[in-house]
Amino acid sequence: MVKWFIFGKPLHTGAVTAVDVKESDRELLKNYLEWEETDGGLCFSCRMKKKDAVYGLGENVRGINKRGWIYESNCSDDPFHREDKRSLYGAHNFIILAGEDRQFGLFIDHAGKLVFDIGYTETDRLAVTAPDRDVSLYVLEGESLTDIVGGLRRLTGRSYIPPKWAFGYGQSRWSYMTADEVRRVAKEHRERGIPLDSIYLDIDYMERYKDFTVNGDSFPGFGKFVEEMRGQGIHLVPIIDAGVKIEEGYDVYEEGVAGNYFCKTQDGRNFTAGVWPGRVHFPDMLKEEARKWFGGKYKVLLDEGIEGFWNDMNEPAIFYSEEHLQEVWEQMEDYRGKNLDINSFFALKDLITGISNNEGDYQRFYHEYEGETIRHDKVHNLFGFYMTRAAGEAFDRLCPDKRILMYSRSSYIGMHRYGGIWMGDNLSWWSHILLNIRMLPSLNMCGFLYTGADLGGFGADVTEDMLLRWLEFGIFTPLMRNHSAMGTRRQEVYRFGDTEAFRRIIGLRYGLLPYIYSEYMKAALGDNMYAKPLSFLYPGDERAKEVEDQLMIGESIMVAPVYEQNKTGRYVYLPETMKMIRFRSLTDREEQVLPAGDHYVKIPLDEVVVFLRPDHILPIAEKGGQNVEEVDFENLTLLHFTQTQSEYEYYHDDGYTKDYDNPAHRTMLRAGC
Amino acid sequence: MVKWFIFGKPLHTGAVTAVDVKESDRELLKNYLEWEETDGGLCFSCRMKKKDAVYGLGENVRGINKRGWIYESNCSDDPFHREDKRSLYGAHNFIILAGEDRQFGLFIDHAGKLVFDIGYTETDRLAVTAPDRDVSLYVLEGESLTDIVGGLRRLTGRSYIPPKWAFGYGQSRWSYMTADEVRRVAKEHRERGIPLDSIYLDIDYMERYKDFTVNGDSFPGFGKFVEEMRGQGIHLVPIIDAGVKIEEGYDVYEEGVAGNYFCKTQDGRNFTAGVWPGRVHFPDMLKEEARKWFGGKYKVLLDEGIEGFWNDMNEPAIFYSEEHLQEVWEQMEDYRGKNLDINSFFALKDLITGISNNEGDYQRFYHEYEGETIRHDKVHNLFGFYMTRAAGEAFDRLCPDKRILMYSRSSYIGMHRYGGIWMGDNLSWWSHILLNIRMLPSLNMCGFLYTGADLGGFGADVTEDMLLRWLEFGIFTPLMRNHSAMGTRRQEVYRFGDTEAFRRIIGLRYGLLPYIYSEYMKAALGDNMYAKPLSFLYPGDERAKEVEDQLMIGESIMVAPVYEQNKTGRYVYLPETMKMIRFRSLTDREEQVLPAGDHYVKIPLDEVVVFLRPDHILPIAEKGGQNVEEVDFENLTLLHFTQTQSEYEYYHDDGYTKDYDNPAHRTMLRAGC
């Protein structure tokens, strides 16, 4: 059901793994799209009917239905996820037109910039423009929207599966500065009985931001410290950045220079950018030998007992390039001592604020890729993908039977085989809870199943109620991490008054893990989605189609998080009769059957409600735990809403090895009337 | 019912006009608040119960219930009205604690900075801190929340009343550059039958941004042009900025220097800041003679036939000060040629981005006020108020019997006597529709009745559907203006596909004008609110208390705008049985009685629904018009939902003179079963 169309000489991105897809006759594309050469590039377009929805685009602003805005695939380090932003960190070039009278998916496999005008310029026109004109385009058809999503996965490969402990709760901060600070974070959780599986190490654990080093003063005896934390059931998860510090005597730098592993300027020098450590070189992640080398460096930390990583700054973010900074200094001289009016003053400001992530800088360096020298901007959207691929391939070599946690900030479809992503550097805004709710199924469509938001918000200041509400959604996301930025209010849950509520909500996550893990594994192994919009399950229901603040999580339940301040309830639309389960904690719960239709449901600040579908089962652990290892995945309580008979295929494995497809991991659970 | 408490030697702000208020015994304050000296200043606080709500604060981010955030009164030129912002353009130091077992209002009459921590640091604590410690504080009690609001108005004076034409639709852009461009805007509306009463002239109508000048090249024969537009039923509304360009030969500059009217540096020179024209001086709006002089300058434009103005940049916004800019140039030298790492690079960026509206600059200049020399930061929040007071007092002198349209960006309570405000430089964000819905009643509480948002959004790019939805709310706001910034997508309504829908929606405004104008006048004259939260009318209703996306507009109707993309309906909560009136246009409508409770109501993109209260009347014009003058305020259709008997006090006057209190303007309308 896949048709492949090629325009020009598109670069091989590595996204597609299917080997049996053949190029189709271009005439067939006319059944879906028109195309034309425009000044802006090669443009594919079609008209949309009034009720057509457009899904996909993974990590982006706005709704689940992407209609009514213009998006660009152009991986960007931009922490202000405002409604008017066109690009975030990832490039997820997959959309589904869910039309009144047709539906198909469109994967534009293209490493450069793409513009998706989805009813922005003209409300009834969908137009995808590739400025670079060399495009590989796949049209996917399917019986259902979910089936179309499955088609993309069959084309681009199975989604990444993390170790089971990575479904536990993680606590992060930019940064915990010392081992003692980490110990304190662990202690504060353990003393209060707040479950915790991981603590994250942001950039300051390194020695002056040098990848694959550990600051020996603040984290002395690192290997022993990792072991000490593991003894408390806690994994340390260090960050790895894209840029390698230029410093004589630093082995990674010296190896990179010696091996010719870094991106080059036009005249063949190693390209210099400024990031956290100041001046760095970027490993040429697209160059096979460089990738193999860089991936191999993770061994330094694996050998210390580390079992998980997050890859950051890999759009790649560039604070400044040496060359451009020099130009700016020179241009600034023109303004000195002048009467700065409206034009000149803002030009001066733009000069400075435009230093970072400057488009021009992405044209100043080059990759070696499959034997060719390619300017970075032509393959910009692949950098994060290939950095994470470097790690993923290395893990397969270094520890082939063990799952390693890996997620990235920047990404491209195809990277979903090697790791997850987090939803980027969001803000402590109520509207970002809703944004993250909407991003989850969109990312799932594009293959990214292991994902979640910085709960509580990364930038800006959180409030206690916001953190609680965000966690109440976060307990349903595969990646569940509380993370916040330097300079913002501290947001570890024990910093607030009502620790007891936090303990119960996070504790509930652990009780739900048998279901969450089982659903994740079934989605990953079955090329399915873990979280779906209601419209994917109830395609004929016009009301369900407009619901974008409720999600289907797995096959059995619907969630409807509260994402507004000072609210003790919300409206919920039920596409069918469901059983509402109100959790005050894992064990303190209440059930009520609600008929299909509209309901106003009370949801106090410290409670969670889920809606169970008829003839479905929600298996929960009889006993949660302080970390994933303590959770009892064997003895289950089957919450069910049985009208005739309820069945549930339960996936359960050891969570750490890779014998995924063993049928012994699947058991059929049943609950009768 | 007002108690007045004085701490230290507070500066007289001019907010309070009541002459009969006496200072109360400080012991009485203990019934409401504790106070203590803290490092941060003088702090007033109390505990809040779980269900207590806090209202007020006028122009600010977040909900109608302000609980759960920290706000600062510190007039700021900041176009990014993000959820985490603490200050916008105004300082509206009035809150109401609407408690489970008590309710009172609090007006802190203080010209410097104030911090309102409303359950941010501790969820159950309200704390107001005045860093400057000299505070005049009024506690207001009343029978109802509305009564408390009335108390503030009786204390600080009656709200401003604009001419009736200012209730018509206005079209604005930064900027229409020439008279011909203005003519074209008029023509495009008139040709399509889209009503229009005013076109706004942003900064570019002036000669190089010089106040009270008109560019003779782009707007030749200005007086005649004003007349020409009036012949088409359209008022031109020019902007006036706070800063006066420094330019030899420019009369306003020279008069200001000669008269000693400008703000001074510590050593007595005229303070120089950079704004639109480059270097400017600020008139010392607080100095009586300077205010009189500056106000008198409006005559230049009044004499050309202008009947309305908007005052801008009066926080005052400062792009840079000459002194600080010099310091920055010097500090920058430290960074040149360095390896800029995390700390130094961001310090450099902050140096540049911190040039504008720099706190330090507000300490570099001085006012003469009531015989004293006062550093600006001590009276910062009064500047916009006094600029608009300058205009308002001048209008009273220059044309005592005529209403002149006047609204301002910056404001302080007290300014509501002299003009309205617009809701500041918002963005084309869907969430800003909701923000503006919530701001409306909050502003009304603080006396600002004549207000409205930049419909369609000022910054960022609008979409057709967003503009339609924003207008569907905008037809209920007293100020109804479409305004957008340079560099953004053009958003005059005729630029989009479905002009017909825009024509019908804006046309509906004109049909509703008899009600809107009558309700506005009654609210202004009766010290009441034009728009109320549901909780003000249904105080016992716990559900109504949490509704923040519906408003009571006047005494008869409730509105429930759609503010989300790709939605064709929404939930509406009815606190009592109401009659839903669906308007496809003024004349094409449908009525349906809905019982109290929750409803999901279909609201297609081009329709407006209102909810009529039982035994209330919504009088609408039988005939709308292309501008306010054409609307028939005499022949009314009475939409009503009569259960026993409906009465409505209809206020109707000529709309241009000031004989407000003439009882002949009030008629009782009745509708029987």
mmCIF file of all heavy atoms in Angstrom, chain A residues 80 119 122 125 180 186 215 297 308 310 440 448 455 463 499 512 555 591 618 632 644 665:
data_model
loop_
_atom_site.group_PDB
_atom_site.id
_atom_site.type_symbol
_atom_site.label_atom_id
_atom_site.label_comp_id
_atom_site.label_asym_id
_atom_site.label_seq_id
_atom_site.Cartn_x
_atom_site.Cartn_y
_atom_site.Cartn_z
ATOM 1 N N PHE A 80 11.154 28.678 23.271
ATOM 2 C CA PHE A 80 9.854 29.334 23.407
ATOM 3 C C PHE A 80 8.845 28.706 22.458
ATOM 4 O O PHE A 80 8.710 29.130 21.321
ATOM 5 C CB PHE A 80 9.974 30.837 23.202
ATOM 6 C CG PHE A 80 10.805 31.473 24.263
ATOM 7 C CD1 PHE A 80 12.071 31.934 23.999
ATOM 8 C CD2 PHE A 80 10.336 31.543 25.560
ATOM 9 C CE1 PHE A 80 12.860 32.478 25.003
ATOM 10 C CE2 PHE A 80 11.109 32.084 26.577
ATOM 11 C CZ PHE A 80 12.373 32.552 26.296
ATOM 12 N N GLY A 119 -3.487 24.924 5.182
ATOM 13 C CA GLY A 119 -4.634 25.821 5.318
ATOM 14 C C GLY A 119 -4.286 27.142 5.962
ATOM 15 O O GLY A 119 -5.151 27.803 6.527
ATOM 16 N N GLU A 122 -4.255 29.648 2.321
ATOM 17 C CA GLU A 122 -5.648 29.484 1.880
ATOM 18 C C GLU A 122 -6.250 28.394 2.755
ATOM 19 O O GLU A 122 -5.663 27.315 2.877
ATOM 20 C CB GLU A 122 -5.706 29.037 0.415
ATOM 21 C CG GLU A 122 -5.174 30.064 -0.568
ATOM 22 C CD GLU A 122 -5.104 29.478 -1.986
ATOM 23 O OE1 GLU A 122 -6.162 29.086 -2.518
ATOM 24 O OE2 GLU A 122 -3.987 29.394 -2.514
ATOM 25 N N ARG A 125 -6.368 24.745 1.297
ATOM 26 C CA ARG A 125 -5.270 24.212 0.498
ATOM 27 C C ARG A 125 -4.155 23.673 1.384
ATOM 28 O O ARG A 125 -3.713 24.318 2.326
ATOM 29 C CB ARG A 125 -4.720 25.313 -0.419
ATOM 30 C CG ARG A 125 -3.615 24.835 -1.359
ATOM 31 C CD ARG A 125 -3.411 25.839 -2.489
ATOM 32 N NE ARG A 125 -2.392 25.386 -3.422
ATOM 33 C CZ ARG A 125 -1.118 25.807 -3.409
ATOM 34 N NH1 ARG A 125 -0.720 26.682 -2.523
ATOM 35 N NH2 ARG A 125 -0.248 25.345 -4.302
ATOM 36 N N ASP A 180 26.799 14.853 46.181
ATOM 37 C CA ASP A 180 26.021 15.039 47.409
ATOM 38 C C ASP A 180 24.637 15.613 47.122
ATOM 39 O O ASP A 180 23.663 15.264 47.784
ATOM 40 C CB ASP A 180 26.773 15.954 48.384
ATOM 41 C CG ASP A 180 27.802 15.165 49.196
ATOM 42 O OD1 ASP A 180 27.728 13.912 49.188
ATOM 43 O OD2 ASP A 180 28.671 15.794 49.812
ATOM 44 N N ALA A 186 17.849 11.931 46.105
ATOM 45 C CA ALA A 186 17.424 10.540 46.314
ATOM 46 C C ALA A 186 16.804 10.379 47.704
ATOM 47 O O ALA A 186 15.713 9.822 47.860
ATOM 48 C CB ALA A 186 18.619 9.604 46.155
ATOM 49 N N ASN A 215 33.434 15.333 36.172
ATOM 50 C CA ASN A 215 34.179 16.218 37.052
ATOM 51 C C ASN A 215 34.564 15.470 38.334
ATOM 52 O O ASN A 215 33.699 15.110 39.133
ATOM 53 C CB ASN A 215 33.324 17.445 37.376
ATOM 54 C CG ASN A 215 34.104 18.482 38.167
ATOM 55 O OD1 ASN A 215 34.868 18.135 39.079
ATOM 56 N ND2 ASN A 215 33.925 19.739 37.822
ATOM 57 N N LYS A 297 32.608 6.128 22.169
ATOM 58 C CA LYS A 297 32.970 6.877 23.372
ATOM 59 C C LYS A 297 31.981 6.670 24.522
ATOM 60 O O LYS A 297 32.330 6.861 25.690
ATOM 61 C CB LYS A 297 33.093 8.381 23.077
ATOM 62 C CG LYS A 297 34.067 8.778 21.988
ATOM 63 C CD LYS A 297 35.427 8.139 22.124
ATOM 64 C CE LYS A 297 36.203 8.583 23.339
ATOM 65 N NZ LYS A 297 37.528 7.919 23.383
ATOM 66 N N GLY A 308 21.944 4.508 30.782
ATOM 67 C CA GLY A 308 21.041 5.356 30.009
ATOM 68 C C GLY A 308 21.636 6.731 29.789
ATOM 69 O O GLY A 308 22.451 7.211 30.605
ATOM 70 N N TRP A 310 20.912 10.825 27.645
ATOM 71 C CA TRP A 310 20.116 11.700 26.773
ATOM 72 C C TRP A 310 21.078 12.545 25.946
ATOM 73 O O TRP A 310 22.044 13.098 26.462
ATOM 74 C CB TRP A 310 19.104 12.536 27.529
ATOM 75 C CG TRP A 310 19.535 13.149 28.842
ATOM 76 C CD1 TRP A 310 20.250 12.554 29.844
ATOM 77 C CD2 TRP A 310 19.249 14.474 29.305
ATOM 78 N NE1 TRP A 310 20.435 13.423 30.896
ATOM 79 C CE2 TRP A 310 19.830 14.602 30.602
ATOM 80 C CE3 TRP A 310 18.550 15.546 28.772
ATOM 81 C CZ2 TRP A 310 19.736 15.783 31.351
ATOM 82 C CZ3 TRP A 310 18.456 16.709 29.531
ATOM 83 C CH2 TRP A 310 19.042 16.828 30.787
ATOM 84 N N LEU A 440 1.757 14.136 22.083
ATOM 85 C CA LEU A 440 2.004 12.714 22.318
ATOM 86 C C LEU A 440 1.501 11.838 21.163
ATOM 87 O O LEU A 440 2.282 11.070 20.587
ATOM 88 C CB LEU A 440 1.394 12.302 23.671
ATOM 89 C CG LEU A 440 1.604 10.849 24.092
ATOM 90 C CD1 LEU A 440 3.075 10.525 24.246
ATOM 91 C CD2 LEU A 440 0.857 10.547 25.385
ATOM 92 N N PHE A 448 7.739 7.825 17.163
ATOM 93 C CA PHE A 448 8.348 8.121 18.454
ATOM 94 C C PHE A 448 7.384 7.746 19.579
ATOM 95 O O PHE A 448 6.478 8.495 19.912
ATOM 96 C CB PHE A 448 8.766 9.586 18.536
ATOM 97 C CG PHE A 448 9.856 9.907 17.558
ATOM 98 C CD1 PHE A 448 9.552 10.385 16.289
ATOM 99 C CD2 PHE A 448 11.183 9.657 17.870
ATOM 100 C CE1 PHE A 448 10.556 10.629 15.358
ATOM 101 C CE2 PHE A 448 12.191 9.899 16.954
ATOM 102 C CZ PHE A 448 11.877 10.387 15.686
ATOM 103 N N LEU A 455 8.061 17.450 32.780
ATOM 104 C CA LEU A 455 6.895 17.659 33.640
ATOM 105 C C LEU A 455 7.157 18.805 34.608
ATOM 106 O O LEU A 455 8.211 18.882 35.220
ATOM 107 C CB LEU A 455 6.566 16.372 34.393
ATOM 108 C CG LEU A 455 6.307 15.163 33.484
ATOM 109 C CD1 LEU A 455 6.197 13.887 34.295
ATOM 110 C CD2 LEU A 455 5.051 15.383 32.650
ATOM 111 N N THR A 463 4.145 26.288 39.605
ATOM 112 C CA THR A 463 3.419 26.380 40.872
ATOM 113 C C THR A 463 3.044 24.955 41.289
ATOM 114 O O THR A 463 3.049 24.036 40.460
ATOM 115 C CB THR A 463 2.140 27.232 40.758
ATOM 116 O OG1 THR A 463 1.339 26.726 39.685
ATOM 117 C CG2 THR A 463 2.484 28.693 40.486
ATOM 118 N N THR A 499 3.188 17.134 49.915
ATOM 119 C CA THR A 499 4.002 16.009 49.446
ATOM 120 C C THR A 499 3.181 14.736 49.324
ATOM 121 O O THR A 499 3.401 13.911 48.453
ATOM 122 C CB THR A 499 5.171 15.768 50.418
ATOM 123 O OG1 THR A 499 5.892 16.989 50.535
ATOM 124 C CG2 THR A 499 6.105 14.714 49.893
ATOM 125 N N LEU A 512 0.114 1.445 37.787
ATOM 126 C CA LEU A 512 -0.392 1.315 36.415
ATOM 127 C C LEU A 512 0.638 0.683 35.477
ATOM 128 O O LEU A 512 0.323 0.378 34.327
ATOM 129 C CB LEU A 512 -0.774 2.703 35.872
ATOM 130 C CG LEU A 512 -1.978 3.410 36.504
ATOM 131 C CD1 LEU A 512 -2.052 4.863 36.028
ATOM 132 C CD2 LEU A 512 -3.288 2.690 36.161
ATOM 133 N N GLU A 555 -5.157 0.226 24.560
ATOM 134 C CA GLU A 555 -6.423 -0.244 23.981
ATOM 135 C C GLU A 555 -7.603 -0.107 24.927
ATOM 136 O O GLU A 555 -8.742 -0.150 24.491
ATOM 137 C CB GLU A 555 -6.294 -1.702 23.541
ATOM 138 C CG GLU A 555 -6.055 -2.672 24.700
ATOM 139 C CD GLU A 555 -6.084 -4.124 24.246
ATOM 140 O OE1 GLU A 555 -5.274 -4.474 23.380
ATOM 141 O OE2 GLU A 555 -6.925 -4.893 24.752
ATOM 142 N N GLU A 591 -15.608 3.496 41.255
ATOM 143 C CA GLU A 591 -15.996 3.237 39.866
ATOM 144 C C GLU A 591 -17.415 3.715 39.602
ATOM 145 O O GLU A 591 -18.262 3.654 40.485
ATOM 146 C CB GLU A 591 -15.904 1.729 39.570
ATOM 147 C CG GLU A 591 -14.516 1.164 39.757
ATOM 148 C CD GLU A 591 -14.410 -0.287 39.290
ATOM 149 O OE1 GLU A 591 -15.455 -0.871 38.926
ATOM 150 O OE2 GLU A 591 -13.284 -0.816 39.276
ATOM 151 N N LEU A 618 -8.286 -3.108 32.438
ATOM 152 C CA LEU A 618 -7.111 -2.337 32.853
ATOM 153 C C LEU A 618 -6.418 -3.128 33.962
ATOM 154 O O LEU A 618 -6.880 -3.131 35.104
ATOM 155 C CB LEU A 618 -7.546 -0.953 33.366
ATOM 156 C CG LEU A 618 -6.446 -0.105 34.021
ATOM 157 C CD1 LEU A 618 -5.336 0.247 33.041
ATOM 158 C CD2 LEU A 618 -7.048 1.177 34.619
ATOM 159 N N ASP A 632 5.100 -5.353 41.332
ATOM 160 C CA ASP A 632 4.684 -6.732 41.094
ATOM 161 C C ASP A 632 3.920 -6.800 39.768
ATOM 162 O O ASP A 632 2.763 -6.410 39.683
ATOM 163 C CB ASP A 632 3.797 -7.190 42.262
ATOM 164 C CG ASP A 632 3.422 -8.656 42.147
ATOM 165 O OD1 ASP A 632 3.673 -9.257 41.076
ATOM 166 O OD2 ASP A 632 2.888 -9.191 43.131
ATOM 167 N N THR A 644 -20.162 -8.038 27.804
ATOM 168 C CA THR A 644 -20.296 -9.443 27.422
ATOM 169 C C THR A 644 -19.099 -10.209 27.980
ATOM 170 O O THR A 644 -19.214 -10.897 28.975
ATOM 171 C CB THR A 644 -20.408 -9.604 25.886
ATOM 172 O OG1 THR A 644 -19.309 -8.942 25.277
ATOM 173 C CG2 THR A 644 -21.695 -9.002 25.377
ATOM 174 N N HIS A 665 5.837 -14.139 26.174
ATOM 175 C CA HIS A 665 5.625 -12.874 26.888
ATOM 176 C C HIS A 665 4.173 -12.408 26.843
ATOM 177 O O HIS A 665 3.821 -11.427 27.467
ATOM 178 C CB HIS A 665 6.514 -11.775 26.285
ATOM 179 C CG HIS A 665 7.970 -12.053 26.407
ATOM 180 N ND1 HIS A 665 8.901 -11.561 25.527
ATOM 181 C CD2 HIS A 665 8.662 -12.786 27.310
ATOM 182 C CE1 HIS A 665 10.103 -11.978 25.875
ATOM 183 N NE2 HIS A 665 9.992 -12.721 26.955
#
